[in-house]
Amino acid sequence: IGMILMKNTTGKKIWIVKNTYKKTQAIVSALEALCLEAGFVFDEENPEIIISVGGDGTLLAALHYYETQLETVRFIGVHTGHLGFYADFQEHELEQVVEAIQNEKPDEAFKYQLLKVQIHFTDGRIKTHLALNESVIKRASKTLVADVKISDFLFEKFRGDGLSVSTPTGSTAYNKSIGGAVMHPRVHAFQVTEVASLNNLVYRTLGAPMIIAEKDAVTIELENADDYLLTVDQLEYFYDQIASVTYSLDGGVISFVNGGHTGFWHRVKNSFIGEVK
């Protein structure tokens, strides 16, 4: 993550996270000047507002960098390329970004639920990650074989390339590319989608995406193997000695500044359909 080092002034505490493209640097330079003029304090350690300049990947990186401070920090995005799902402002709207920060009220922030990813190891250890988009479990070179439990109910024995678990806001990302449903963020649920499942006379899975109620958790109980790959948004983790992975929609929330917010279905249309002739 590229960080901008600035002097302190007065006002709201902000920090700018950016991608590494040359075009972005020019945008950030102009944004810095506007923020200084507005009297914002540049504080990397304890910001109130994170401004993400780039694409959705930049914002996801910012989320994971500050994921221990999500109860006190809010995000606002400036996209520098194609319209992102988490960036409300375009590069020519920097004055509106500053205005939105000046006028924002923490209790009016847009909040999106985060997926909690709990890894249970064979030695009893537990490790927890948070995902804004999705988490995928697969093996490096072999077929994934796993028992899939919905809460305590054994639903199926899955065989295939892997399983993807996504939030509603992440439903338009990898989930959509593997045939998952697009879900509005106001639907408090999460989704399990198969990645190339094996379905024949011997093996049988549901073969369709599952929308899981907020009250339930999904546990994927794994065979003993040392080549599991777990993705959490754009991050990759290679673990061995995993006994199971449990997914639930109680990972807290990420908050976005309420200013210039683009409606979800507008984002979907702009990203995938364009103008209707």
Side-chain angles (χ1 to χ4, degrees), residues 143-176:
T143 297
L144 179 76
V145 178
D147 287 341
V148 178
K149 290 185 175 180
I150 302 174
S151 293
D152 293 325
F153 173 64
L154 177 58
F155 182 73
E156 68 179 12
K157 182 178 285 289
F158 175 85
R159 289 174 175 83
D161 282 0
L163 288 162
S164 170
V165 185
S166 70
T167 65
T169 52
S171 68
T172 55
Y174 179 66
N175 170 77
K176 179 179 177 297

PDB file of all heavy atoms in Angstrom, residues 143-176:
ATOM      1  N   THR A 143      -8.063 -32.731  -5.950  1.00  0.00           N
ATOM      2  CA  THR A 143      -9.474 -32.441  -5.735  1.00  0.00           C
ATOM      3  C   THR A 143      -9.738 -32.192  -4.252  1.00  0.00           C
ATOM      4  O   THR A 143      -9.217 -32.896  -3.386  1.00  0.00           O
ATOM      5  CB  THR A 143     -10.334 -33.620  -6.216  1.00  0.00           C
ATOM      6  OG1 THR A 143     -10.146 -33.787  -7.616  1.00  0.00           O
ATOM      7  CG2 THR A 143     -11.804 -33.379  -5.934  1.00  0.00           C
ATOM      8  N   LEU A 144     -10.534 -31.179  -3.974  1.00  0.00           N
ATOM      9  CA  LEU A 144     -10.953 -30.901  -2.599  1.00  0.00           C
ATOM     10  C   LEU A 144     -12.076 -31.859  -2.227  1.00  0.00           C
ATOM     11  O   LEU A 144     -13.073 -31.972  -2.942  1.00  0.00           O
ATOM     12  CB  LEU A 144     -11.446 -29.457  -2.482  1.00  0.00           C
ATOM     13  CG  LEU A 144     -11.942 -29.032  -1.101  1.00  0.00           C
ATOM     14  CD1 LEU A 144     -10.759 -28.792  -0.170  1.00  0.00           C
ATOM     15  CD2 LEU A 144     -12.802 -27.772  -1.188  1.00  0.00           C
ATOM     16  N   VAL A 145     -11.907 -32.561  -1.133  1.00  0.00           N
ATOM     17  CA  VAL A 145     -12.951 -33.430  -0.589  1.00  0.00           C
ATOM     18  C   VAL A 145     -13.262 -32.937   0.813  1.00  0.00           C
ATOM     19  O   VAL A 145     -12.364 -32.829   1.654  1.00  0.00           O
ATOM     20  CB  VAL A 145     -12.505 -34.901  -0.542  1.00  0.00           C
ATOM     21  CG1 VAL A 145     -13.599 -35.779   0.082  1.00  0.00           C
ATOM     22  CG2 VAL A 145     -12.160 -35.398  -1.942  1.00  0.00           C
ATOM     23  N   ALA A 146     -14.525 -32.596   1.058  1.00  0.00           N
ATOM     24  CA  ALA A 146     -14.869 -31.994   2.344  1.00  0.00           C
ATOM     25  C   ALA A 146     -16.322 -32.238   2.702  1.00  0.00           C
ATOM     26  O   ALA A 146     -17.189 -32.303   1.819  1.00  0.00           O
ATOM     27  CB  ALA A 146     -14.612 -30.486   2.305  1.00  0.00           C
ATOM     28  N   ASP A 147     -16.575 -32.391   4.000  1.00  0.00           N
ATOM     29  CA  ASP A 147     -17.948 -32.407   4.499  1.00  0.00           C
ATOM     30  C   ASP A 147     -18.412 -30.967   4.683  1.00  0.00           C
ATOM     31  O   ASP A 147     -17.693 -30.154   5.281  1.00  0.00           O
ATOM     32  CB  ASP A 147     -18.029 -33.139   5.836  1.00  0.00           C
ATOM     33  CG  ASP A 147     -17.874 -34.644   5.687  1.00  0.00           C
ATOM     34  OD1 ASP A 147     -18.058 -35.153   4.560  1.00  0.00           O
ATOM     35  OD2 ASP A 147     -17.554 -35.303   6.694  1.00  0.00           O
ATOM     36  N   VAL A 148     -19.579 -30.644   4.172  1.00  0.00           N
ATOM     37  CA  VAL A 148     -20.132 -29.301   4.299  1.00  0.00           C
ATOM     38  C   VAL A 148     -21.277 -29.340   5.299  1.00  0.00           C
ATOM     39  O   VAL A 148     -22.276 -30.036   5.095  1.00  0.00           O
ATOM     40  CB  VAL A 148     -20.628 -28.771   2.937  1.00  0.00           C
ATOM     41  CG1 VAL A 148     -21.252 -27.392   3.104  1.00  0.00           C
ATOM     42  CG2 VAL A 148     -19.487 -28.729   1.929  1.00  0.00           C
ATOM     43  N   LYS A 149     -21.121 -28.584   6.392  1.00  0.00           N
ATOM     44  CA  LYS A 149     -22.144 -28.519   7.427  1.00  0.00           C
ATOM     45  C   LYS A 149     -22.756 -27.125   7.464  1.00  0.00           C
ATOM     46  O   LYS A 149     -22.038 -26.128   7.421  1.00  0.00           O
ATOM     47  CB  LYS A 149     -21.548 -28.848   8.795  1.00  0.00           C
ATOM     48  CG  LYS A 149     -21.152 -30.305   8.975  1.00  0.00           C
ATOM     49  CD  LYS A 149     -20.683 -30.568  10.393  1.00  0.00           C
ATOM     50  CE  LYS A 149     -20.404 -32.062  10.620  1.00  0.00           C
ATOM     51  NZ  LYS A 149     -19.952 -32.316  12.012  1.00  0.00           N
ATOM     52  N   ILE A 150     -24.071 -27.064   7.533  1.00  0.00           N
ATOM     53  CA  ILE A 150     -24.784 -25.795   7.744  1.00  0.00           C
ATOM     54  C   ILE A 150     -25.226 -25.801   9.189  1.00  0.00           C
ATOM     55  O   ILE A 150     -26.080 -26.583   9.586  1.00  0.00           O
ATOM     56  CB  ILE A 150     -25.979 -25.653   6.793  1.00  0.00           C
ATOM     57  CG1 ILE A 150     -25.507 -25.740   5.333  1.00  0.00           C
ATOM     58  CG2 ILE A 150     -26.705 -24.340   7.049  1.00  0.00           C
ATOM     59  CD1 ILE A 150     -26.625 -25.744   4.323  1.00  0.00           C
ATOM     60  N   SER A 151     -24.598 -24.932   9.987  1.00  0.00           N
ATOM     61  CA  SER A 151     -24.673 -25.017  11.446  1.00  0.00           C
ATOM     62  C   SER A 151     -24.237 -26.424  11.839  1.00  0.00           C
ATOM     63  O   SER A 151     -23.139 -26.812  11.495  1.00  0.00           O
ATOM     64  CB  SER A 151     -26.046 -24.606  11.955  1.00  0.00           C
ATOM     65  OG  SER A 151     -26.229 -23.207  11.689  1.00  0.00           O
ATOM     66  N   ASP A 152     -25.038 -27.214  12.490  1.00  0.00           N
ATOM     67  CA  ASP A 152     -24.591 -28.558  12.887  1.00  0.00           C
ATOM     68  C   ASP A 152     -25.127 -29.654  11.966  1.00  0.00           C
ATOM     69  O   ASP A 152     -24.968 -30.844  12.250  1.00  0.00           O
ATOM     70  CB  ASP A 152     -25.035 -28.853  14.332  1.00  0.00           C
ATOM     71  CG  ASP A 152     -24.322 -27.972  15.339  1.00  0.00           C
ATOM     72  OD1 ASP A 152     -23.136 -27.656  15.110  1.00  0.00           O
ATOM     73  OD2 ASP A 152     -24.951 -27.588  16.344  1.00  0.00           O
ATOM     74  N   PHE A 153     -25.762 -29.255  10.866  1.00  0.00           N
ATOM     75  CA  PHE A 153     -26.396 -30.219   9.974  1.00  0.00           C
ATOM     76  C   PHE A 153     -25.442 -30.593   8.831  1.00  0.00           C
ATOM     77  O   PHE A 153     -25.007 -29.732   8.069  1.00  0.00           O
ATOM     78  CB  PHE A 153     -27.677 -29.610   9.401  1.00  0.00           C
ATOM     79  CG  PHE A 153     -28.341 -30.442   8.340  1.00  0.00           C
ATOM     80  CD1 PHE A 153     -28.860 -31.690   8.640  1.00  0.00           C
ATOM     81  CD2 PHE A 153     -28.448 -29.964   7.042  1.00  0.00           C
ATOM     82  CE1 PHE A 153     -29.471 -32.453   7.665  1.00  0.00           C
ATOM     83  CE2 PHE A 153     -29.061 -30.722   6.059  1.00  0.00           C
ATOM     84  CZ  PHE A 153     -29.576 -31.975   6.370  1.00  0.00           C
ATOM     85  N   LEU A 154     -25.099 -31.878   8.724  1.00  0.00           N
ATOM     86  CA  LEU A 154     -24.244 -32.344   7.633  1.00  0.00           C
ATOM     87  C   LEU A 154     -25.049 -32.322   6.341  1.00  0.00           C
ATOM     88  O   LEU A 154     -25.976 -33.112   6.155  1.00  0.00           O
ATOM     89  CB  LEU A 154     -23.721 -33.752   7.911  1.00  0.00           C
ATOM     90  CG  LEU A 154     -22.868 -34.382   6.798  1.00  0.00           C
ATOM     91  CD1 LEU A 154     -21.642 -33.522   6.484  1.00  0.00           C
ATOM     92  CD2 LEU A 154     -22.450 -35.799   7.180  1.00  0.00           C
ATOM     93  N   PHE A 155     -24.705 -31.400   5.439  1.00  0.00           N
ATOM     94  CA  PHE A 155     -25.487 -31.195   4.230  1.00  0.00           C
ATOM     95  C   PHE A 155     -25.013 -32.061   3.069  1.00  0.00           C
ATOM     96  O   PHE A 155     -25.809 -32.696   2.387  1.00  0.00           O
ATOM     97  CB  PHE A 155     -25.435 -29.719   3.831  1.00  0.00           C
ATOM     98  CG  PHE A 155     -26.250 -29.396   2.612  1.00  0.00           C
ATOM     99  CD1 PHE A 155     -27.630 -29.369   2.663  1.00  0.00           C
ATOM    100  CD2 PHE A 155     -25.625 -29.142   1.384  1.00  0.00           C
ATOM    101  CE1 PHE A 155     -28.382 -29.087   1.537  1.00  0.00           C
ATOM    102  CE2 PHE A 155     -26.376 -28.857   0.258  1.00  0.00           C
ATOM    103  CZ  PHE A 155     -27.754 -28.831   0.327  1.00  0.00           C
ATOM    104  N   GLU A 156     -23.703 -32.090   2.828  1.00  0.00           N
ATOM    105  CA  GLU A 156     -23.190 -32.870   1.708  1.00  0.00           C
ATOM    106  C   GLU A 156     -21.709 -33.141   1.900  1.00  0.00           C
ATOM    107  O   GLU A 156     -21.037 -32.497   2.715  1.00  0.00           O
ATOM    108  CB  GLU A 156     -23.400 -32.123   0.382  1.00  0.00           C
ATOM    109  CG  GLU A 156     -22.560 -30.867   0.247  1.00  0.00           C
ATOM    110  CD  GLU A 156     -22.751 -30.147  -1.092  1.00  0.00           C
ATOM    111  OE1 GLU A 156     -23.694 -30.476  -1.828  1.00  0.00           O
ATOM    112  OE2 GLU A 156     -21.940 -29.255  -1.387  1.00  0.00           O
ATOM    113  N   LYS A 157     -21.207 -34.107   1.125  1.00  0.00           N
ATOM    114  CA  LYS A 157     -19.766 -34.309   0.990  1.00  0.00           C
ATOM    115  C   LYS A 157     -19.383 -33.752  -0.370  1.00  0.00           C
ATOM    116  O   LYS A 157     -19.794 -34.277  -1.400  1.00  0.00           O
ATOM    117  CB  LYS A 157     -19.373 -35.777   1.122  1.00  0.00           C
ATOM    118  CG  LYS A 157     -17.851 -35.994   1.023  1.00  0.00           C
ATOM    119  CD  LYS A 157     -17.459 -37.443   1.210  1.00  0.00           C
ATOM    120  CE  LYS A 157     -17.540 -37.871   2.656  1.00  0.00           C
ATOM    121  NZ  LYS A 157     -16.463 -37.253   3.496  1.00  0.00           N
ATOM    122  N   PHE A 158     -18.623 -32.687  -0.363  1.00  0.00           N
ATOM    123  CA  PHE A 158     -18.251 -31.995  -1.602  1.00  0.00           C
ATOM    124  C   PHE A 158     -16.981 -32.588  -2.191  1.00  0.00           C
ATOM    125  O   PHE A 158     -16.026 -32.894  -1.486  1.00  0.00           O
ATOM    126  CB  PHE A 158     -18.040 -30.503  -1.327  1.00  0.00           C
ATOM    127  CG  PHE A 158     -17.545 -29.744  -2.530  1.00  0.00           C
ATOM    128  CD1 PHE A 158     -18.437 -29.261  -3.468  1.00  0.00           C
ATOM    129  CD2 PHE A 158     -16.177 -29.536  -2.727  1.00  0.00           C
ATOM    130  CE1 PHE A 158     -17.986 -28.577  -4.588  1.00  0.00           C
ATOM    131  CE2 PHE A 158     -15.718 -28.852  -3.842  1.00  0.00           C
ATOM    132  CZ  PHE A 158     -16.627 -28.379  -4.771  1.00  0.00           C
ATOM    133  N   ARG A 159     -16.998 -32.727  -3.525  1.00  0.00           N
ATOM    134  CA  ARG A 159     -15.790 -33.077  -4.269  1.00  0.00           C
ATOM    135  C   ARG A 159     -15.709 -32.160  -5.476  1.00  0.00           C
ATOM    136  O   ARG A 159     -16.666 -32.047  -6.237  1.00  0.00           O
ATOM    137  CB  ARG A 159     -15.813 -34.541  -4.714  1.00  0.00           C
ATOM    138  CG  ARG A 159     -15.638 -35.540  -3.580  1.00  0.00           C
ATOM    139  CD  ARG A 159     -15.826 -36.959  -4.076  1.00  0.00           C
ATOM    140  NE  ARG A 159     -15.557 -37.949  -3.040  1.00  0.00           N
ATOM    141  CZ  ARG A 159     -16.432 -38.333  -2.111  1.00  0.00           C
ATOM    142  NH1 ARG A 159     -17.651 -37.800  -2.111  1.00  0.00           N
ATOM    143  NH2 ARG A 159     -16.098 -39.232  -1.205  1.00  0.00           N
ATOM    144  N   GLY A 160     -14.575 -31.499  -5.629  1.00  0.00           N
ATOM    145  CA  GLY A 160     -14.409 -30.579  -6.744  1.00  0.00           C
ATOM    146  C   GLY A 160     -13.163 -29.731  -6.563  1.00  0.00           C
ATOM    147  O   GLY A 160     -12.305 -30.027  -5.726  1.00  0.00           O
ATOM    148  N   ASP A 161     -13.068 -28.658  -7.329  1.00  0.00           N
ATOM    149  CA  ASP A 161     -11.881 -27.799  -7.253  1.00  0.00           C
ATOM    150  C   ASP A 161     -11.865 -26.959  -5.984  1.00  0.00           C
ATOM    151  O   ASP A 161     -10.798 -26.631  -5.467  1.00  0.00           O
ATOM    152  CB  ASP A 161     -11.812 -26.879  -8.473  1.00  0.00           C
ATOM    153  CG  ASP A 161     -11.310 -27.602  -9.714  1.00  0.00           C
ATOM    154  OD1 ASP A 161     -11.023 -28.815  -9.608  1.00  0.00           O
ATOM    155  OD2 ASP A 161     -11.215 -26.964 -10.776  1.00  0.00           O
ATOM    156  N   GLY A 162     -13.036 -26.558  -5.493  1.00  0.00           N
ATOM    157  CA  GLY A 162     -13.053 -25.749  -4.285  1.00  0.00           C
ATOM    158  C   GLY A 162     -14.424 -25.201  -3.988  1.00  0.00           C
ATOM    159  O   GLY A 162     -15.405 -25.478  -4.694  1.00  0.00           O
ATOM    160  N   LEU A 163     -14.504 -24.415  -2.912  1.00  0.00           N
ATOM    161  CA  LEU A 163     -15.742 -23.770  -2.497  1.00  0.00           C
ATOM    162  C   LEU A 163     -15.460 -22.295  -2.239  1.00  0.00           C
ATOM    163  O   LEU A 163     -14.450 -21.931  -1.626  1.00  0.00           O
ATOM    164  CB  LEU A 163     -16.300 -24.420  -1.231  1.00  0.00           C
ATOM    165  CG  LEU A 163     -16.902 -25.823  -1.419  1.00  0.00           C
ATOM    166  CD1 LEU A 163     -17.011 -26.536  -0.076  1.00  0.00           C
ATOM    167  CD2 LEU A 163     -18.275 -25.725  -2.082  1.00  0.00           C
ATOM    168  N   SER A 164     -16.367 -21.443  -2.712  1.00  0.00           N
ATOM    169  CA  SER A 164     -16.255 -20.004  -2.519  1.00  0.00           C
ATOM    170  C   SER A 164     -17.387 -19.541  -1.607  1.00  0.00           C
ATOM    171  O   SER A 164     -18.541 -19.915  -1.812  1.00  0.00           O
ATOM    172  CB  SER A 164     -16.340 -19.273  -3.867  1.00  0.00           C
ATOM    173  OG  SER A 164     -16.453 -17.880  -3.690  1.00  0.00           O
ATOM    174  N   VAL A 165     -17.044 -18.719  -0.619  1.00  0.00           N
ATOM    175  CA  VAL A 165     -18.037 -18.159   0.287  1.00  0.00           C
ATOM    176  C   VAL A 165     -17.941 -16.641   0.176  1.00  0.00           C
ATOM    177  O   VAL A 165     -16.870 -16.066   0.382  1.00  0.00           O
ATOM    178  CB  VAL A 165     -17.792 -18.610   1.736  1.00  0.00           C
ATOM    179  CG1 VAL A 165     -18.923 -18.111   2.643  1.00  0.00           C
ATOM    180  CG2 VAL A 165     -17.695 -20.131   1.813  1.00  0.00           C
ATOM    181  N   SER A 166     -19.060 -15.995  -0.172  1.00  0.00           N
ATOM    182  CA  SER A 166     -19.014 -14.561  -0.454  1.00  0.00           C
ATOM    183  C   SER A 166     -20.060 -13.779   0.327  1.00  0.00           C
ATOM    184  O   SER A 166     -21.103 -14.310   0.708  1.00  0.00           O
ATOM    185  CB  SER A 166     -19.195 -14.292  -1.951  1.00  0.00           C
ATOM    186  OG  SER A 166     -20.518 -14.587  -2.355  1.00  0.00           O
ATOM    187  N   THR A 167     -19.759 -12.508   0.540  1.00  0.00           N
ATOM    188  CA  THR A 167     -20.705 -11.566   1.126  1.00  0.00           C
ATOM    189  C   THR A 167     -21.608 -11.040   0.011  1.00  0.00           C
ATOM    190  O   THR A 167     -21.325 -11.237  -1.174  1.00  0.00           O
ATOM    191  CB  THR A 167     -19.959 -10.383   1.752  1.00  0.00           C
ATOM    192  OG1 THR A 167     -19.296  -9.659   0.703  1.00  0.00           O
ATOM    193  CG2 THR A 167     -18.939 -10.850   2.779  1.00  0.00           C
ATOM    194  N   PRO A 168     -22.691 -10.333   0.350  1.00  0.00           N
ATOM    195  CA  PRO A 168     -23.498  -9.709  -0.703  1.00  0.00           C
ATOM    196  C   PRO A 168     -22.700  -8.723  -1.556  1.00  0.00           C
ATOM    197  O   PRO A 168     -22.810  -8.735  -2.785  1.00  0.00           O
ATOM    198  CB  PRO A 168     -24.607  -9.002   0.086  1.00  0.00           C
ATOM    199  CG  PRO A 168     -24.777  -9.849   1.298  1.00  0.00           C
ATOM    200  CD  PRO A 168     -23.383 -10.269   1.660  1.00  0.00           C
ATOM    201  N   THR A 169     -21.861  -7.876  -0.922  1.00  0.00           N
ATOM    202  CA  THR A 169     -21.084  -6.924  -1.726  1.00  0.00           C
ATOM    203  C   THR A 169     -20.043  -7.636  -2.569  1.00  0.00           C
ATOM    204  O   THR A 169     -19.660  -7.151  -3.627  1.00  0.00           O
ATOM    205  CB  THR A 169     -20.396  -5.869  -0.838  1.00  0.00           C
ATOM    206  OG1 THR A 169     -19.660  -6.524   0.197  1.00  0.00           O
ATOM    207  CG2 THR A 169     -21.417  -4.930  -0.237  1.00  0.00           C
ATOM    208  N   GLY A 170     -19.591  -8.806  -2.116  1.00  0.00           N
ATOM    209  CA  GLY A 170     -18.637  -9.581  -2.894  1.00  0.00           C
ATOM    210  C   GLY A 170     -19.288 -10.489  -3.921  1.00  0.00           C
ATOM    211  O   GLY A 170     -18.597 -11.157  -4.699  1.00  0.00           O
ATOM    212  N   SER A 171     -20.618 -10.500  -3.963  1.00  0.00           N
ATOM    213  CA  SER A 171     -21.310 -11.421  -4.873  1.00  0.00           C
ATOM    214  C   SER A 171     -21.063 -11.078  -6.340  1.00  0.00           C
ATOM    215  O   SER A 171     -21.256 -11.921  -7.214  1.00  0.00           O
ATOM    216  CB  SER A 171     -22.813 -11.421  -4.581  1.00  0.00           C
ATOM    217  OG  SER A 171     -23.410 -10.175  -4.915  1.00  0.00           O
ATOM    218  N   THR A 172     -20.640  -9.838  -6.624  1.00  0.00           N
ATOM    219  CA  THR A 172     -20.402  -9.429  -8.011  1.00  0.00           C
ATOM    220  C   THR A 172     -18.952  -9.677  -8.438  1.00  0.00           C
ATOM    221  O   THR A 172     -18.600  -9.385  -9.573  1.00  0.00           O
ATOM    222  CB  THR A 172     -20.707  -7.930  -8.182  1.00  0.00           C
ATOM    223  OG1 THR A 172     -19.939  -7.198  -7.221  1.00  0.00           O
ATOM    224  CG2 THR A 172     -22.183  -7.655  -7.970  1.00  0.00           C
ATOM    225  N   ALA A 173     -18.131 -10.203  -7.550  1.00  0.00           N
ATOM    226  CA  ALA A 173     -16.719 -10.427  -7.859  1.00  0.00           C
ATOM    227  C   ALA A 173     -16.518 -11.869  -8.330  1.00  0.00           C
ATOM    228  O   ALA A 173     -17.212 -12.339  -9.230  1.00  0.00           O
ATOM    229  CB  ALA A 173     -15.870 -10.082  -6.632  1.00  0.00           C
ATOM    230  N   TYR A 174     -15.592 -12.596  -7.716  1.00  0.00           N
ATOM    231  CA  TYR A 174     -15.299 -13.972  -8.130  1.00  0.00           C
ATOM    232  C   TYR A 174     -16.553 -14.837  -8.107  1.00  0.00           C
ATOM    233  O   TYR A 174     -16.763 -15.683  -8.986  1.00  0.00           O
ATOM    234  CB  TYR A 174     -14.224 -14.556  -7.209  1.00  0.00           C
ATOM    235  CG  TYR A 174     -13.845 -15.984  -7.507  1.00  0.00           C
ATOM    236  CD1 TYR A 174     -13.214 -16.314  -8.711  1.00  0.00           C
ATOM    237  CD2 TYR A 174     -14.101 -17.000  -6.595  1.00  0.00           C
ATOM    238  CE1 TYR A 174     -12.863 -17.631  -8.993  1.00  0.00           C
ATOM    239  CE2 TYR A 174     -13.757 -18.310  -6.865  1.00  0.00           C
ATOM    240  CZ  TYR A 174     -13.139 -18.622  -8.066  1.00  0.00           C
ATOM    241  OH  TYR A 174     -12.788 -19.918  -8.353  1.00  0.00           O
ATOM    242  N   ASN A 175     -17.403 -14.638  -7.120  1.00  0.00           N
ATOM    243  CA  ASN A 175     -18.647 -15.398  -7.003  1.00  0.00           C
ATOM    244  C   ASN A 175     -19.464 -15.363  -8.291  1.00  0.00           C
ATOM    245  O   ASN A 175     -19.968 -16.397  -8.750  1.00  0.00           O
ATOM    246  CB  ASN A 175     -19.473 -14.853  -5.838  1.00  0.00           C
ATOM    247  CG  ASN A 175     -20.870 -15.416  -5.788  1.00  0.00           C
ATOM    248  OD1 ASN A 175     -21.087 -16.541  -5.365  1.00  0.00           O
ATOM    249  ND2 ASN A 175     -21.843 -14.614  -6.218  1.00  0.00           N
ATOM    250  N   LYS A 176     -19.600 -14.193  -8.876  1.00  0.00           N
ATOM    251  CA  LYS A 176     -20.386 -14.072 -10.109  1.00  0.00           C
ATOM    252  C   LYS A 176     -19.733 -14.828 -11.258  1.00  0.00           C
ATOM    253  O   LYS A 176     -20.418 -15.436 -12.089  1.00  0.00           O
ATOM    254  CB  LYS A 176     -20.569 -12.600 -10.483  1.00  0.00           C
ATOM    255  CG  LYS A 176     -21.366 -12.365 -11.767  1.00  0.00           C
ATOM    256  CD  LYS A 176     -21.532 -10.887 -12.050  1.00  0.00           C
ATOM    257  CE  LYS A 176     -22.273 -10.671 -13.376  1.00  0.00           C
ATOM    258  NZ  LYS A 176     -21.544 -11.196 -14.547  1.00  0.00           N
TER     259      LYS A 176
END
